[in-house]
Amino acid sequence: MTSLSKMSLSTQEDRDRLTYPLSIAPMMDRTDRHYRYFMRQITRRTLLYTEMVTSAAIKHGDQDYLLGFSPEEKPLALQVGGDNSQDLAECARIAEAMGYDEINLNVGCPSDRVQSGNFGACLMKTPDLVAKCIESMIAAAKIPVSVKHRIGVDDLDTYEDMQNFVRILSEAGCQRFSVHARKAWLQGLSPKDNREIPPLRYADVHRLKQEFPHLFIEINGGFTTLAQAHEQLQQVDAVMIGRAAYDNPYLFATSDREFFGDETPMRSRVEVAEAMIPYIDQWTAKGLRLHKITRHMLQLFHGQAGSRLWKRIITEKSCIVGAGSEVIREAIAAVKR
C-alpha cells in the first residue's frame, strides 16, 4: 500500500479525510439513514455512504428527507447521480453545508432508470463530460470529491479504457476513485446480474494503483470477509464492501480495531440491539413505522443460534400499527433464552 506521505494532497486535513481504508458501499434501498445509524452501533470508524440521490432530487426535492442524517452517522459521504456540471456543483455546496464529509459521483450504476437520465455507468463513455462535472464540484466546495465507477462498460472494457478514464478525471482534480472490479453491460443484464455475472478483475485495479501511485484507489466487488480486505490493502489504499455489509452486518464488529487502531471494546450483538432502542423510541414517537428501521436489523444474528427466531419476531410484529421498541425487547429476550 502506498504510504500516505507520498499522496499529493494539499493539506493534512485533506489527507485525513481521504484515508479511510474501509467503507460500506452505497446501496439503493439499503443504506438509508436508519441502516447507517444501526451500523454505527457496530463500527464507529468505517466510512459510510448514502444511497444514490439524483442531482435533480437534491435541487428540487425535500432535502431534509433525502439528505438528513444523525451526527452519529459520520464519517459520511453523499453519493449523487447526474451529468449537469452546474447542478452537481450546487449539490456539492449543499453537501458541504449539511456537514457531509465527502461527495461521490456515481459512474457505476447500470440500471435502465439511471441510463435514461444519462448518468451512472453510461458516463464512462464520456470521460470529458465527467471531468467537467468533477471540476465544477471541486470548485464549489472544500469537501473531497470522489468517483465510483466500473472497470469498463460495454465494449469499452480494456484496461487502457479505464486508465484513460481515470487519467482524464485525475487531471480534472479527482484524487479518490472507488473502483467496482467488474465491467457493466448496459443492455441485457439487470443491475443484480451486473453485480454477479461479469467476472471480477482485481488485477486491473491493482495495476491502476501501481500506475497512479499518487491517487487514492479503493477496490470494490465480491468481498465478504475482513480477511479479504486486509489482503487487498497490500495492493490498494482502501476496500469497499457492499452486499455482505447488509447480509451480515456484524461482520464489521472488529473493523475499528483491525483497520483504524481503535481499541474501544466492541459491542455484542445483544448490546447492538439494545443500543437501537432509544433511536427506535425517538423515531416511532414521530410516527415512523417500526419496520422502516428494523428491516435493516434482520441479519444482526446472522449465523448464530436464535437468528431464525429473531427474524420471525421482528418480521411478524414490526409491521403492526403502533409497534415500537417492545418488539426489539421481545426479540432480544427470545434470543437470550
Side-chain angles (χ1 to χ4, degrees), residues 218-234:
E218 180 175 56
I219 194 169
N220 168 234
F223 302 118
T224 59
T225 70
L226 296 186
Q228 292 170 334
H230 279 294
E231 183 179 357
Q232 288 296 318
L233 288 177
Q234 303 305 309

Side-chain angles (χ1 to χ4, degrees), residues 96-271:
E96 182 175 47
M98 293 190 71
Y100 281 92
D101 299 288
E102 176 184 314
I103 185 166
N104 176 269
L105 182 62
N106 183 317
V107 191
C109 181
S111 76
D112 291 340
R113 182 177 69 85
V114 166
Q115 289 180 58
S116 66
N118 194 39
F119 54 93
C122 64
L123 286 177
M124 289 197 72
K125 296 181 177 182
T126 55
D128 290 333
L129 173 60
V130 179
K132 181 180 178 182
C133 294
I134 292 296
E135 287 178 340
S136 297
M137 295 167 76
I138 290 173
K142 295 180 180 179
I143 58 174
V145 176
S146 63
V147 173
K148 187 173 189 293
H149 62 93
R150 296 282 184 134
I151 57 172
V153 57
D154 292 342
D155 294 327
L156 291 172
D157 65 347
T158 67
Y159 173 78
E160 288 72 24
D161 291 323
M162 177 175 66
Q163 179 191 51
N164 183 59
F165 177 82
V166 169
R167 177 187 59 79
I168 292 173
L169 268 59
S170 66
E171 290 172 355
C174 186
Q175 297 192 339
R176 181 182 176 102
F177 296 81
S178 297
V179 189
H180 188 157
R182 287 187 173 94
K183 66 175 289 183
W185 283 108
L186 298 183
Q187 302 295 330
L189 291 182
S190 68
K192 180 178 184 296
D193 289 340
N194 261 302
R195 293 193 299 269
E196 299 172 355
I197 292 178
L200 287 160
R201 289 160 42 188
Y202 294 147
D204 283 9
V205 187
H206 300 163
R207 181 180 172 186
L208 192 69
K209 178 59 187 178
Q210 292 168 4
E211 297 187 6
F212 295 91
H214 60 290
L215 300 180
F216 193 97
I217 304 297
E218 180 175 56
I219 194 169
N220 168 234
F223 302 118
T224 59
T225 70
L226 296 186
Q228 292 170 334
H230 279 294
E231 183 179 357
Q232 288 296 318
L233 288 177
Q234 303 305 309
Q235 303 284 342
V236 294
D237 298 297
V239 178
M240 175 181 281
I241 297 179
R243 299 289 152 173
Y246 200 84
D247 296 338
N248 182 19
Y250 201 70
L251 165 70
F252 285 80
T254 62
S255 62
D256 290 354
R257 183 179 72 247
E258 291 186 42
F259 293 89
F260 299 90
D262 187 337
E263 297 298 331
T264 303
M266 62 183 245
R267 286 172 165 157
S268 69
R269 288 176 171 85
V270 167
E271 288 171 336

Side-chain angles (χ1 to χ4, degrees), residues 50-65:
T50 68
E51 302 171 86
M52 183 191 69
V53 188
T54 67
S55 58
I58 292 173
K59 282 190 64 179
H60 305 296
D62 183 338
Q63 290 180 6
D64 184 62
Y65 174 75

